[in-house]
Amino acid sequence: MKKIFIYYSLTGNGDHVAKFMEARGYEIRKVIEKKKMPKSFFFRVLIGGYRAGRKKKGKLINYDNNIKDYSEVVIGSPVWNGRFPPAINSVLDQTDLSSAKKLAFFFYSGSGETPKVVKEVVKEFPHARIIVTKEPKNNPSETHVINKL
């Protein structure tokens, strides 16, 4: 049974989770968006939140959407403006997740609140597991939820 963790990380929370996932036997596939986000926190929130709220998609660098050899797929994502960031919108658009026998979404949110995106996942992927954490990089105790996968 091959397992993969496909994730996006801007502030390092996803990278932090990826280390734990790799230790649990997941192959790691980091998503990188071609368009760089501003360095200023204020402008990242403004621009990123707007793009996420409008469900924009990002252009990805060398993204491999082939998951047919994996029985378990976990999508790791921050939550921006209550939604998926553009990079993950692109992953969801370009990847056929219906072939995954086990599917999960691992959210790392600054506020820990994710009702909009969770509702979206439940509607689109009703059998997927959903795990929500609050900034696991700054709250290492949050990574214990990985055991729920």
Side-chain angles (χ1 to χ4, degrees), residues 2-20:
K2 289 177 73 176
K3 306 182 289 186
I4 189 166
F5 180 60
I6 302 170
Y7 77 101
Y8 175 71
S9 182
L10 180 64
T11 62
N13 283 299
D15 298 320
H16 182 78
V17 172
K19 290 176 190 174
F20 286 89

Side-chain angles (χ1 to χ4, degrees), residues 123-146:
K123 182 179 177 185
E124 186 78 22
F125 308 100
H127 299 345
R129 296 195 56 137
I130 299 170
I131 296 183
V132 178
T133 62
K134 182 177 179 180
E135 293 187 328
K137 181 177 85 172
N138 297 329
N139 301 300
S141 63
E142 290 281 309
T143 54
H144 77 279
V145 298
I146 291 172

